[in-house]
Amino acid sequence: MTELSYTHGTSPTALLGDTIGANLDRTVAAWPDREALVDVESGRRWTYAEFAADVDELASALLASGIAKGDRVGIWAVNCPEWVLVQYATARVGAVMVNINPAYRTHEVEYVLRQAGITLLVASLRHRTSDYRAMVEQVRRNCPRLRETVYIGDPSWDALTGRGTAESRAQLRTRGSELSCDDPINIQYTSGTTGFPKGATLSHHNILNNGYFVGESLAYSEQDRVCVPVPFYHCFGMVMGNLAATSHGACIVVPAPSFDPAATLRAVQDEHCTSLYGVPTMFIAELNLPDFATYDLSSLRTGIMAGSPCPVEVMKRVVAEMHMAEVSICYGMTETSPVSLQTRRDDDLEHRTGTVGRVLPHLEVKVVDPVDGVTRPRGTAGELCTRGYSVMLGYWNEPEKTAEAVDPGRWMHTGDLAVMREDGYVEIVGRIKDMIIRGGENIYPREIEEFLYAHPKIADVQVVGVPHERYGEEVLACVIARDPADPPTLAELRAFCEDRLAHYKIPSRLRVLEAFPMTVSGKVRKIELRETYADRD
């Protein structure tokens, strides 16, 4: 009898029952003098004792400002130490921190401020073309619950942090006993392809345990130094980065306010980082730096690559040239805190590039028929679902949308097409909405992308389906050339595929681009590629 596509993670290590604040207290008690946080750009450093003191100072200031348990505090900022302080201080007082994408503009930030009911907003002053103060001024009249905005690097930040009183400090000492690990503590807005984003609401229990078990899989200890160039506003940064580090006494290293490949490698070298995070496009950018070979990356042993599938050739270089022999692939989504599946330190190259790993401890995953919900046999494609401690409490104030994503059995439906192998490892073969249907044939873009990465003229590639009058859809390959002066032609691409791919999988259209449209978290916006080039030759 064929085994079904269901598996669950067992572990002798129990789930944590702590709040984030209580867990930080444990770490501080164990390693008060070890470094907790380093901001490379400003040169500022905190030991765990110093970090906890600043977290408590900010937490008591929040209490003195009238922030009550359950109040929403927004953070609209690029990566900086203040972001991390806000993360842990809001957890200390039981406020719900609302992460706001730094790329948002007025229309989007106004929606989040209103939908979440944010009462206090902490924001950057400026970054690149974003003037956050000017944007707040444009929308604040439409956000009646917003009482105060504080800007990092501005006197308003100092005024906030200095607001604590003897009374608020005493209140903070008792607040911990009033909090439950199941309290909502974080809202993260997921970037939908249609309509407004939805606010995934997460508890202490959700994100603390997910960060902890990701760190366990990477064998983190107080000896580790984790370089986090991915954005804090996303789970990758604040959970897999910050919480994985602090739950193990490791150090968080912030290389720059936003991703910069050279700054990232300098931070690894100068801070002797043992772990490095990124999406595949970040690692590609680092590996392609003209002076890549001059950086000393020998301190690295591990790290995480997530967000999209990892090309085989990129993984080979990360292991060999970046010394990340124990690098891990993670799969997840904001609604699941985020990681459900992860490769392990001793997995071979094929498992790290052909799969997204196996289920984490205390979680369940299954692959089901997208139509009737019946669990599929192993080796066959279907929708990936996950269940367990990591599944969100729900979308903030949107019970109907929550019910569409989380079924009555508490299974989170991911929207991803997956295949579970006989050994329990899972392959992601595409998004249900990204699958190309050409003349009745189902085509999974990742298969074609992996094949085209081997083309000598292609540095990066994304495959999407675009409308076709006869076949319904046709295959468009969007590529970045290794040498911009000598890009591949469609004829060369098709000749490369001939007799090696089924005819219906061979791209019939080609676009050579300088860069792909990206989200702030580093994912390629395939929907934008489809929309932009749908009607172009």
Side-chain angles (χ1 to χ4, degrees):
M1 182 176 177
T2 304
E3 193 170 359
L4 293 177
S5 298
Y6 167 87
T7 186
H8 63 278
T10 59
S11 174
T13 304
L15 287 167
L16 301 176
D18 296 334
T19 61
I20 290 169
N23 185 261
L24 179 61
D25 287 341
R26 294 177 189 274
T27 299
V28 174
W31 300 291
D33 299 324
R34 295 203 68 86
E35 279 194 328
L37 178 63
V38 173
D39 182 50
V40 174
E41 185 172 80
S42 68
R44 292 177 289 169
R45 297 172 181 272
W46 287 259
T47 64
Y48 266 100
E50 293 165 342
F51 177 68
D54 281 1
V55 165
D56 286 354
E57 178 184 43
L58 179 56
S60 65
L62 292 174
L63 292 174
S65 302
I67 298 298
K69 177 183 175 181
D71 281 354
R72 273 76 68 204
V73 175
I75 177 78
W76 190 25
V78 293
N79 286 14
C80 60
E82 289 80 4
W83 207 110
V84 187
L85 292 172
V86 170
Q87 177 182 349
Y88 288 83
T90 50
R92 279 273 201 226
V93 303
V96 180
M97 182 179 71
V98 182
N99 302 10
I100 306 177
N101 187 331
Y104 276 4
R105 292 298 184 261
T106 53
H107 179 64
E108 298 150 317
V109 76
E110 179 181 333
Y111 173 78
V112 170
L113 290 168
R114 290 171 61 87
Q115 205 272 337
I118 290 170
T119 57
L120 171 66
L121 175 65
V122 178
S124 293
L125 274 169
R126 301 185 62 89
H127 184 66
R128 294 178 179 168
T129 62
S130 297
D131 184 336
Y132 295 100
R133 192 197 297 270
M135 286 189 278
V136 171
E137 290 304 314
Q138 287 183 54
V139 305
R140 65 174 303 133
R141 68 176 65 87
N142 299 322
C143 304
R145 297 197 63 171
L146 182 62
R147 299 197 306 256
E148 182 180 8
T149 303
V150 173
Y151 295 96
I152 297 167
D154 179 77
S156 60
W157 172 262
D158 296 329
L160 171 64
T161 57
R163 204 174 285 172
T165 64
E167 182 182 356
S168 68
R169 293 184 186 96
Q171 185 183 359
L172 180 62
R173 285 193 289 272
T174 62
R175 176 55 60 90
S177 62
E178 302 168 0
L179 304 180
S180 164
C181 66
D182 294 318
D183 290 335
I185 202 66
N186 184 215
I187 298 174
Q188 300 198 31
Y189 280 84
T190 63
S191 51
T193 55
T194 58
F196 283 104
K198 302 180 291 292
T201 308
L202 305 168
S203 67
H204 294 269
H205 196 64
N206 289 148
I207 60 178
L208 175 60
N209 275 290
N210 204 253
Y212 176 71
F213 280 100
V214 166
E216 286 288 282
S217 292
L218 298 171
Y220 277 171
S221 74
E222 75 279 5
Q223 303 294 328
D224 282 291
R225 299 174 67 80
V226 186
C227 185
V228 186
V230 295
F232 288 149
Y233 92 87
H234 191 268
C235 269
F236 200 169
M238 67 159 284
V239 178
M240 299 152 72
N242 297 348
L243 286 169
T246 61
S247 61
H248 290 86
C251 179
I252 303 160
V253 176
V254 186
S258 58
F259 177 63
D260 178 312
T264 299
L265 295 189
R266 278 197 303 272
V268 170
Q269 173 181 273
D270 296 346
E271 295 297 328
H272 307 291
C273 294
T274 59
S275 178
L276 173 62
Y277 289 6
V279 298
T281 52
M282 290 181 175
F283 283 99
I284 290 168
E286 291 156 7
L287 290 163
N288 288 343
L289 286 173
D291 62 347
F292 169 78
T294 67
Y295 293 95
D296 181 0
L297 308 178
S298 59
S299 60
L300 286 173
R301 70 166 180 87
T302 190
I304 295 175
M305 198 182 300
S308 58
C310 174
V312 175
E313 295 306 314
V314 174
M315 178 60 77
K316 287 179 180 177
R317 292 192 64 193
V318 166
V319 170
E321 300 174 40
M322 300 182 80
H323 306 282
M324 295 171 62
E326 299 176 12
V327 66
S328 180
I329 299 296
C330 288
Y331 166 86
M333 59 192 306
T334 303
E335 291 90 338
T336 57
S337 304
V339 181
S340 303
L341 299 152
Q342 184 175 1
T343 60
R344 302 314 199 254
R345 292 183 296 143
D346 57 353
D347 282 340
D348 59 27
L349 178 67
E350 194 282 326
H351 277 87
R352 290 184 192 176
T353 56
T355 81
V356 290
R358 53 190 168 93
V359 67
L360 279 182
H362 307 290
L363 295 176
E364 300 170 89
V365 294
K366 65 178 180 178
V367 176
V368 303
D369 186 301
V371 177
D372 60 24
V374 174
T375 304
R376 303 281 288 150
R378 293 201 181 191
T380 56
E383 183 181 18
L384 181 65
C385 299
T386 185
R387 180 168 70 177
Y389 74 81
S390 67
V391 175
M392 66 175 178
L393 300 178
Y395 293 121
W396 184 260
N397 285 342
E398 295 193 271
E400 292 182 0
K401 290 184 178 177
T402 301
E404 291 172 6
V406 184
D407 69 25
R410 290 294 297 165
W411 286 98
M412 178 73 210
H413 289 251
T414 68
D416 281 325
L417 286 166
V419 174
M420 184 178 293
R421 296 181 176 183
E422 292 299 325
D423 61 6
Y425 280 74
V426 174
E427 303 172 39
I428 301 298
V429 294
R431 292 285 292 169
I432 292 175
K433 63 187 178 185
D434 285 345
M435 186 173 69
I436 303 168
I437 304 177
R438 180 190 182 278
E441 297 281 2
N442 292 348
I443 301 171
Y444 302 114
R446 189 192 174 186
E447 178 190 0
I448 306 171
E449 290 164 356
E450 283 289 349
F451 178 76
L452 292 179
Y453 271 114
H455 192 288
K457 289 189 175 183
I458 293 176
D460 205 353
V461 56
Q462 296 291 322
V463 169
V464 296
V466 291
H468 186 274
E469 187 174 329
R470 179 180 177 186
Y471 295 111
E473 287 185 292
E474 61 180 336
V475 178
L476 165 66
C478 298
V479 308
I480 296 173
R482 287 192 182 277
D483 179 0
D486 184 26
T489 65
L490 180 59
E492 289 174 328
L493 203 67
R494 290 180 63 84
F496 183 76
C497 299
E498 196 71 35
D499 297 327
R500 301 169 76 189
L501 286 180
H503 70 91
Y504 60 86
K505 298 178 184 177
I506 297 176
S508 54
R509 292 174 56 187
L510 170 69
R511 294 290 301 190
V512 179
L513 306 177
E514 293 182 359
F516 297 134
M518 309 287 284
T519 67
V520 170
S521 58
K523 293 184 180 180
V524 176
R525 288 183 49 81
K526 285 198 169 188
I527 188 170
E528 190 170 324
L529 291 174
R530 283 195 297 269
E531 291 172 349
T532 302
Y533 302 112
D535 300 318
R536 299 187 186 182
D537 293 329

